Amino acid sequence: MSFTPPVTEQRFVLRHIAGIDFLADSERFAEATPDMVDAILEGAGQLAAGEWAPLNRVGDETGAKLTENGVVMPAGFKEAYRAYVEGGWGTITAPVEFGGQGLPFTLAIAILESLGSANMAFTLCPILSVGAIESLIHHGSEELQDAYLPKLSTGAWTGTMNLTEPQAGSDVGALKTRAEPAEDGSWRIKGQKIFITFGEHDMADNIVHLVLARTPGSPEGTRGISLFLVPRYRLDAHGNPGEPNDARCVSLEHKLGIHASPTCVMSYGDNDDCHGWLIGPENGGMRAMFTMMNNARLNVGLQGVQIAERATQQAVAFAKERVQSARAGAASRDPVAIIEHPDVRRMLLRMKALTMAVRALVYSAAGQVDAATLGDEDAKARSEMLTPLAKAYGTDIGCEVASLGVQVHGGMGYIEETGAAQHYRDARIAPIYEGTNGIQAADLVGRKLALNGGAAMRSLLDDIAAGAQDEPALAALLADCEAVVLWLGEASVDDRLAASYPFLTMLSVATAGWLMAQQRMIAEAELAAGEGDSDFLAMKIAACRFYLDQIVPEAGGLRAAAMAPADILYSVSEDALSA
Amino acid sequence: MSFTPPVTEQRFVLRHIAGIDFLADSERFAEATPDMVDAILEGAGQLAAGEWAPLNRVGDETGAKLTENGVVMPAGFKEAYRAYVEGGWGTITAPVEFGGQGLPFTLAIAILESLGSANMAFTLCPILSVGAIESLIHHGSEELQDAYLPKLSTGAWTGTMNLTEPQAGSDVGALKTRAEPAEDGSWRIKGQKIFITFGEHDMADNIVHLVLARTPGSPEGTRGISLFLVPRYRLDAHGNPGEPNDARCVSLEHKLGIHASPTCVMSYGDNDDCHGWLIGPENGGMRAMFTMMNNARLNVGLQGVQIAERATQQAVAFAKERVQSARAGAASRDPVAIIEHPDVRRMLLRMKALTMAVRALVYSAAGQVDAATLGDEDAKARSEMLTPLAKAYGTDIGCEVASLGVQVHGGMGYIEETGAAQHYRDARIAPIYEGTNGIQAADLVGRKLALNGGAAMRSLLDDIAAGAQDEPALAALLADCEAVVLWLGEASVDDRLAASYPFLTMLSVATAGWLMAQQRMIAEAELAAGEGDSDFLAMKIAACRFYLDQIVPEAGGLRAAAMAPADILYSVSEDALSA
């Protein structure tokens, strides 16, 4: 199935939602001119469509394999990854002093969107490297930065994040991996980590593991965790990969999807010779980890956009080709392409509208991240507020759209060769990793609701209100959100958490609805002025109308659940739940 | 993962929702005494838990294989199927004169529920046989009945349904398989069929294919279709399987799930020697097909119940065992089983509530099928009204619950060995086959809305109204449904179809809500009277409350979509949809 990068749409959203022109007005991001943006969108789109997309099926069918020589990627991945490195696609956001281009994060989001739509599993490799780069920039010593950042920035070396241990799951504070100081100032790491994405592969000369571990005498829980850099190959005197470190992949998980992404069980220090270097202060691992994870959550929210875009393209193409049954009520009894049947068209328009909505949400959050980099404190708060929405709602929508994609294909959708089922399987990981969506919801009603004494939430609701003036459904949903916010303010911890997920969905839809209302106005104005691509603008307007008129009201239906006390949940014993 | 048949719940729903006692008061179903019902539920549950459930993983991992000797099932299936046949589980509903037990269809539903929760893919084999039996009973000649029904009734031989052809998909009228009359009164069949469930396997001595085909000179479209019986082995003079017929499986589909169910491409008459026998009159195939399909739709709706039950049991068991993180707001900082966390508990209660709701819906429809068999015309109309709801909503909920099951498991849910992912994959076929859910929605706003001049719909809405008197959320949803029904009555064909799916969901939830309200009252009365299992009743009451207070209001959010005209769908060109 071919893939066409949605360049016109990306440009529209970068400009009108992420505020790329505003960012380019700053000294720091002055390079992000419209011409540069166009060149990046086109170039990344070409790499995605031409080299990454064709590998999506083989990646799924063959998958990464653990062999005697370590983890081996399916044929073609090594070359496609090299094209990514040589094209400089990894260096977009990296600092100029380490060989990066210093461009806005928002542009990296656009690039990753195209690459991930082409091949979601593959794109996890660069995504993980970003986390390692961010941690080193913010918390690494000058020595470590000089030694590792240039190679990580280009993607010549890749990065991993090592949080999870078998017994701990999402409870990072329960981890047990140990780090003992060595005489040379480095540390010796020992322990096992699971769910390590691209923990090993054959596409790069070195892999830089970021590993959370406990130092001797550290306090219990999350306050006693430190972050270490553990290279697969230790660096020689010239800074090149030298001796193998005592760090290896001992098995790969057999997963529902993203088969081209090796999910490794990593073992560190089996021979007591795993060298690691501290990043940031001892016991400062949680802070470094949050640096590593924050943008990662947006990148995972983006995976929802990626898969939604790809699934939609595939469903539209199928529906245009597949001829079946006459159209009900039509004069002609000749069979028509199924895209003409109202319910199929409803599914397709829903897919388009949902995809655009989550793209706007993620790009908006990314734009705020960049504005925060420029020193805007309100933007910083807004980016933090939007992160759990983008992660959870974005990935839920990825799953819904992929499922609709299967449905549009009918029986063919259930056959693996069609490819629709792969999207459905791939999409399902995103609500789970980088903090389950339930954890995002807890973050929203906990930390984010209280952010800046509630001012961050107030500001978002006020912005939505301004956009809802001519949109009655959005205004109604906003009123529901306001009611829930009031209720949450006085609710017990249990009540707040029981309500968290429905509220997260409501607020996400209201926020996306506000962004869709903005886009509708802009598209209508452009169309009236005879500017832009009229097919694109007509589609944009229809998708925004559909979202505002049909999807926004659905979310209002969650108000009762978002204000239901938790007592019902605890009215039955745990044994009764198995009864 | 072990499986516990939900016998207490099944008994409750059979009695209070399906009306099994009322059915047993009739002469025809007098055998269905409470003791007999208990014995059947317990016995089927034992077979399901003891012999079918342990094969669910191997069925998924190994799957059915096409070999030189035809299709071979994974190890253990042949023996487990024999246990099913020898236990007499196939004969429940079959007529007494053909070796059946003549018991209500509702009991067959309960049996199939347990078997399908244990092993959904496997259970497709008996489900398909039911269609063949029904067609023969209603349309077969005495000769064909005598020759085939006794063996089909016990399950010693199995049946298949052959509708779909590659070019035709859901458009049965476009099929091209031909039947030419032979001198001996039989027919020679030639053509290819796809998506034939259990089209070949090694568990039975014969397979009885029911094949739709066109006879010479037949009219175009659905009016020119006839139904033929095509045995895998032709019967010898003693009625035993003899010479192989020219009918074979030429390939198996590689599917997202239900791997233990061989989905065959069947080729008939490659050597011009495929013998078939007409069932019913020439060109009467559509009528016979609807006989074959009607209860099949309920059986597929039941698959949603099956997978929801299994996924819920597995998620509850995992959440009770998995210890992770302290409970927010609790004095103790010790980690707890995740079942104690509010959002996990919300997911589990939602799974329980949704599962109970769709079970009630499917069992209610089945009870009406049996009442119709007793001659109740209103029950017949009601069963027809409920069929698209049970099929579409039941299977959508199967997918939702299976997805929640994955989520409760966190990262482990994405690992195939856990088993949660299998349910997610298996469940996804059910909204597609036996008429896609979109086709069910079209049936609802077309044929069913107009059934008996609208009286069938009126009667359902009136029943819901009676049940909604003390349930404000249900009353509100009913008002929404009433508004949509009024609107649909004056809507264009396009508008009606564009609204069909959201309306189907609303009406399904309202109907299930009514059935949940009934169950809540009964459970509260039993609990107050000190009757029954108090854990079970507490769970029932909590699930009903959750459904009525939190899920019913969600469906009200669909009102806008169910009353949105189709124009928005056609406001963009097909090319713009790909823009």
Side-chain angles (χ1 to χ4, degrees):
Chain A
M1 201 66 214
S2 71
F3 162 65
T4 307
V7 173
T8 309
E9 159 78 357
Q10 289 175 318
R11 194 185 295 121
F12 186 94
V13 180
L14 281 175
R15 192 164 160 217
H16 299 301
I17 298 298
I20 191 74
D21 295 343
F22 166 81
L23 295 173
D25 278 344
S26 71
E27 195 178 340
R28 166 142 190 174
F29 295 133
E31 301 280 329
T33 61
D35 283 353
M36 172 64 103
V37 170
D38 280 355
I40 285 177
L41 293 179
E42 295 287 348
Q46 273 175 23
L47 175 69
E51 309 211 30
W52 285 40
L55 299 174
N56 195 43
R57 284 293 298 149
V58 68
D60 185 57
E61 283 171 354
T62 306
K65 302 269 187 222
L66 181 57
T67 70
E68 284 184 3
N69 301 316
V71 176
V72 175
M73 295 293 292
F77 276 71
K78 200 168 178 169
E79 294 72 20
Y81 185 73
R82 191 180 306 139
Y84 166 85
V85 173
E86 289 176 356
W89 298 108
T91 64
I92 295 292
T93 58
V96 176
E97 63 264 41
F98 296 111
Q101 304 184 51
L103 285 163
F105 173 65
T106 309
L107 280 178
I109 282 280
I111 294 166
L112 282 177
E113 187 208 322
S114 292
L115 292 173
S117 290
N119 197 322
M120 175 179 150
F122 195 178
T123 309
L124 282 165
C125 186
I127 286 181
L128 268 291
S129 296
V130 170
I133 293 168
E134 292 279 323
S135 306
L136 274 173
I137 289 175
H138 290 106
H139 307 285
S141 67
E142 213 168 300
E143 255 183 304
L144 286 179
Q145 289 182 344
D146 289 344
Y148 290 94
L149 274 178
K151 293 289 191 181
L152 279 169
S153 295
T154 60
W157 298 351
T158 67
T160 73
M161 289 165 54
N162 291 248
L163 282 59
T164 309
E165 298 181 10
Q167 79 291 346
S170 303
D171 185 5
V172 174
L175 67 82
K176 290 179 179 165
T177 295
R178 293 186 329 242
E180 305 272 348
E183 289 182 3
D184 62 358
S186 69
W187 299 71
R188 295 296 167 271
I189 313 295
K190 196 173 178 72
Q192 204 173 72
K193 297 282 181 177
I194 60 170
F195 296 154
I196 308 309
T197 300
F198 278 94
E200 201 170 292
H201 60 84
D202 58 356
M203 303 188 298
D205 295 332
N206 208 355
I207 300 175
V208 181
H209 303 295
L210 266 60
V211 182
L212 289 177
R214 297 190 171 285
T215 54
S218 62
E220 283 193 10
T222 52
R223 286 170 309 139
I225 291 172
S226 306
L227 183 66
F228 295 88
L229 183 153
V230 179
R232 182 181 181 195
Y233 296 99
R234 302 204 280 267
L235 305 190
D236 64 18
H238 308 292
N240 295 319
E243 265 190 274
N245 205 356
D246 181 13
R248 65 197 180 96
C249 170
V250 291
S251 73
L252 291 184
E253 304 294 351
H254 176 218
K255 305 188 302 295
L256 174 61
I258 52 166
H259 295 159
S261 167
T263 302
C264 302
V265 177
M266 294 298 300
S267 197
Y268 295 100
D270 280 355
N271 303 310
D272 298 324
D273 193 32
C274 178
H275 295 223
W277 286 265
L278 188 62
I279 296 179
E282 211 176 326
N283 298 329
M286 284 305 281
R287 218 177 127 232
M289 188 192 81
F290 277 117
T291 306
M292 183 160 74
M293 282 177 61
N294 205 33
N295 292 348
R297 289 183 168 182
L298 282 186
N299 278 332
V300 171
L302 180 68
Q303 294 192 304
V305 183
Q306 292 164 2
I307 219 79
E309 175 65 33
R310 186 72 186 270
T312 302
Q313 287 193 18
Q314 182 160 350
V316 170
F318 180 85
K320 285 169 84 167
E321 275 180 17
R322 175 72 170 175
V323 172
Q324 194 177 283
S325 301
R327 185 159 160 193
S332 163
R333 293 289 78 207
D334 291 339
V336 296
I338 64 170
I339 198 170
E340 294 197 29
H341 296 309
D343 187 60
V344 172
R345 215 161 171 114
R346 175 192 66 82
M347 289 193 274
L348 295 175
L349 194 54
R350 186 175 179 93
M351 295 170 79
K352 294 288 283 189
L354 290 171
T355 305
M356 286 188 190
V358 290
R359 180 181 289 112
L361 187 57
V362 173
Y363 278 49
S364 169
Q368 300 295 315
V369 168
D370 286 321
T373 301
L374 296 177
D376 181 341
E377 283 299 317
D378 290 342
K380 184 163 185 296
R382 177 62 58 85
S383 75
E384 288 175 22
M385 178 65 69
L386 295 185
T387 294
L389 309 185
K391 197 280 178 179
Y393 183 65
T395 57
D396 280 346
I397 292 308
C399 291
E400 177 179 344
V401 172
S403 183
L404 283 167
V406 170
Q407 193 69 20
V408 168
H409 285 80
M412 291 306 298
Y414 205 66
I415 307 299
E416 284 289 359
E417 284 79 358
T418 307
Q422 182 191 344
H423 304 319
Y424 179 71
R425 289 186 287 100
D426 286 351
R428 192 61 189 82
I429 186 58
I432 295 172
Y433 59 19
E434 261 337 292
T436 64
N437 285 2
I439 288 177
Q440 306 301 325
D443 176 47
L444 175 65
V445 300
R447 225 165 62 82
K448 301 303 164 68
L449 195 60
L451 188 63
N452 298 346
M457 177 65 77
R458 187 67 265 152
S459 151
L460 177 61
L461 295 171
D462 287 347
D463 280 351
I464 298 170
Q469 286 185 350
D470 297 320
E471 295 289 351
L474 184 56
L477 177 58
L478 177 65
D480 290 329
C481 289
E482 294 270 13
V484 177
V485 168
L486 265 183
W487 183 83
L488 289 171
E490 307 193 345
S492 72
V493 173
D494 278 351
D495 288 353
R496 228 167 28 226
L497 288 170
S500 62
Y501 209 107
F503 174 61
L504 177 142
T505 304
M506 292 171 70
L507 186 63
S508 300
V509 175
T511 305
W514 162 54
L515 301 175
M516 293 295 262
Q518 287 176 42
Q519 292 183 77
R520 177 185 174 173
M521 280 174 56
I522 294 163
E524 283 173 346
E526 289 189 2
L527 197 65
E531 292 165 12
D533 174 335
S534 61
D535 260 1
F536 166 74
L537 293 171
M539 185 66 245
K540 173 64 78 178
I541 293 164
C544 291
R545 275 184 60 201
F546 189 91
Y547 194 85
L548 288 159
D549 296 346
Q550 301 197 37
I551 295 173
V552 163
E554 283 175 27
L558 294 168
R559 175 177 169 154
M563 293 174 75
D567 69 342
I568 179 77
L569 303 178
Y570 294 94
S571 70
V572 281
S573 70
E574 287 165 25
D575 285 340
L577 273 162
S578 345
Chain B
M1 200 66 213
S2 72
F3 163 65
T4 307
V7 173
T8 309
E9 158 79 356
Q10 290 175 319
R11 194 186 293 120
F12 186 93
V13 179
L14 281 174
R15 192 163 160 219
H16 299 300
I17 298 296
I20 192 73
D21 296 343
F22 165 82
L23 295 172
D25 278 345
S26 70
E27 194 177 340
R28 163 137 191 180
F29 294 134
E31 301 280 330
T33 61
D35 284 352
M36 173 63 104
V37 170
D38 281 352
I40 285 177
L41 293 179
E42 295 287 348
Q46 273 174 23
L47 175 68
E51 309 212 29
W52 285 40
L55 299 174
N56 196 43
R57 283 293 297 151
V58 67
D60 185 56
E61 282 170 356
T62 307
K65 302 268 187 221
L66 180 57
T67 71
E68 282 183 4
N69 301 315
V71 176
V72 175
M73 295 293 291
F77 276 71
K78 198 169 181 170
E79 295 73 20
Y81 186 73
R82 191 181 303 139
Y84 166 85
V85 172
E86 288 174 358
W89 298 108
T91 66
I92 296 289
T93 58
V96 176
E97 64 264 40
F98 296 111
Q101 303 183 54
L103 285 163
F105 172 65
T106 310
L107 281 178
I109 282 280
I111 294 165
L112 282 177
E113 188 206 321
S114 292
L115 292 173
S117 291
N119 197 322
M120 174 180 152
F122 197 177
T123 308
L124 282 165
C125 186
I127 286 181
L128 268 290
S129 295
V130 170
I133 293 168
E134 291 280 323
S135 307
L136 274 172
I137 289 173
H138 294 284
H139 308 285
S141 68
E142 213 169 298
E143 256 181 302
L144 285 179
Q145 288 182 344
D146 290 343
Y148 290 94
L149 274 177
K151 294 288 192 181
L152 279 169
S153 295
T154 61
W157 299 350
T158 66
T160 72
M161 289 165 54
N162 292 247
L163 282 61
T164 308
E165 299 183 7
Q167 78 292 347
S170 303
D171 185 6
V172 174
L175 68 81
K176 290 179 177 164
T177 296
R178 295 186 328 245
E180 304 273 347
E183 289 182 2
D184 62 358
S186 69
W187 299 72
R188 294 297 168 271
I189 312 295
K190 196 173 178 69
Q192 204 174 73
K193 297 282 182 177
I194 60 170
F195 296 154
I196 308 310
T197 299
F198 278 94
E200 201 170 291
H201 59 83
D202 57 357
M203 304 188 300
D205 295 333
N206 208 354
I207 299 173
V208 181
H209 303 292
L210 266 63
V211 182
L212 290 177
R214 300 190 169 282
T215 55
S218 62
E220 282 192 8
T222 52
R223 287 168 309 139
I225 291 174
S226 306
L227 183 66
F228 294 88
L229 182 153
V230 179
R232 181 180 180 192
Y233 296 100
R234 303 203 282 265
L235 305 188
D236 65 18
H238 308 291
N240 295 320
E243 265 190 275
N245 205 357
D246 181 12
R248 63 196 183 94
C249 170
V250 291
S251 73
L252 291 184
E253 303 294 353
H254 175 219
K255 306 188 300 296
L256 174 61
I258 54 167
H259 295 159
S261 167
T263 302
C264 302
V265 176
M266 294 297 300
S267 197
Y268 296 100
D270 280 354
N271 304 310
D272 297 324
D273 195 33
C274 176
H275 295 222
W277 285 265
L278 190 63
I279 296 179
E282 211 176 325
N283 297 330
M286 284 305 281
R287 215 175 129 234
M289 187 192 82
F290 278 117
T291 306
M292 183 161 74
M293 281 179 60
N294 204 32
N295 292 349
R297 290 183 167 183
L298 281 186
N299 279 332
V300 171
L302 180 68
Q303 294 191 303
V305 184
Q306 293 164 3
I307 219 78
E309 176 64 32
R310 186 75 187 269
T312 303
Q313 286 192 17
Q314 180 160 349
V316 170
F318 180 85
K320 284 169 84 167
E321 277 181 17
R322 173 72 169 176
V323 172
Q324 194 178 285
S325 302
R327 184 159 161 194
S332 163
R333 293 290 76 205
D334 289 339
V336 297
I338 63 169
I339 197 170
E340 293 197 31
H341 297 307
D343 187 60
V344 172
R345 216 163 171 115
R346 175 192 66 82
M347 289 194 274
L348 295 174
L349 193 55
R350 185 175 180 94
M351 294 170 80
K352 294 289 283 190
L354 290 171
T355 305
M356 286 189 189
V358 290
R359 181 182 287 110
L361 186 58
V362 172
Y363 279 48
S364 169
Q368 299 295 314
V369 167
D370 285 321
T373 302
L374 297 177
D376 181 341
E377 283 299 318
D378 290 342
K380 183 163 185 295
R382 176 63 56 88
S383 74
E384 288 176 20
M385 178 65 70
L386 295 184
T387 294
L389 309 186
K391 196 280 176 179
Y393 183 64
T395 57
D396 281 345
I397 293 307
C399 291
E400 177 178 344
V401 173
S403 183
L404 283 167
V406 170
Q407 193 69 21
V408 168
H409 285 78
M412 293 305 298
Y414 205 67
I415 307 297
E416 285 288 358
E417 285 78 359
T418 308
Q422 183 189 344
H423 304 318
Y424 179 72
R425 290 186 286 100
D426 286 352
R428 192 62 191 80
I429 186 59
I432 296 173
Y433 60 19
E434 264 335 293
T436 64
N437 285 3
I439 288 176
Q440 306 300 324
D443 176 47
L444 175 65
V445 300
R447 227 167 61 83
K448 300 303 162 65
L449 195 61
L451 189 63
N452 298 345
M457 177 65 77
R458 184 69 263 149
S459 150
L460 176 61
L461 294 171
D462 287 347
D463 280 352
I464 298 170
Q469 285 184 350
D470 298 321
E471 295 290 352
L474 184 56
L477 177 59
L478 178 66
D480 289 329
C481 289
E482 295 271 11
V484 177
V485 167
L486 266 182
W487 184 82
L488 289 171
E490 307 194 345
S492 71
V493 174
D494 278 350
D495 287 353
R496 227 164 33 226
L497 289 171
S500 62
Y501 209 108
F503 174 61
L504 177 141
T505 304
M506 291 171 70
L507 186 64
S508 299
V509 175
T511 305
W514 161 54
L515 300 174
M516 292 296 262
Q518 287 176 45
Q519 293 184 78
R520 176 184 176 173
M521 281 174 55
I522 294 162
E524 282 172 348
E526 289 189 2
L527 197 64
E531 292 166 13
D533 174 335
S534 62
D535 259 2
F536 166 75
L537 293 171
M539 184 67 245
K540 173 64 80 180
I541 292 164
C544 292
R545 273 184 60 201
F546 188 91
Y547 194 85
L548 288 159
D549 296 346
Q550 298 196 38
I551 296 173
V552 163
E554 282 175 28
L558 294 168
R559 175 178 169 153
M563 294 175 75
D567 68 344
I568 179 77
L569 304 178
Y570 294 94
S571 69
V572 280
S573 70
E574 288 166 23
D575 286 338
L577 273 162
S578 343

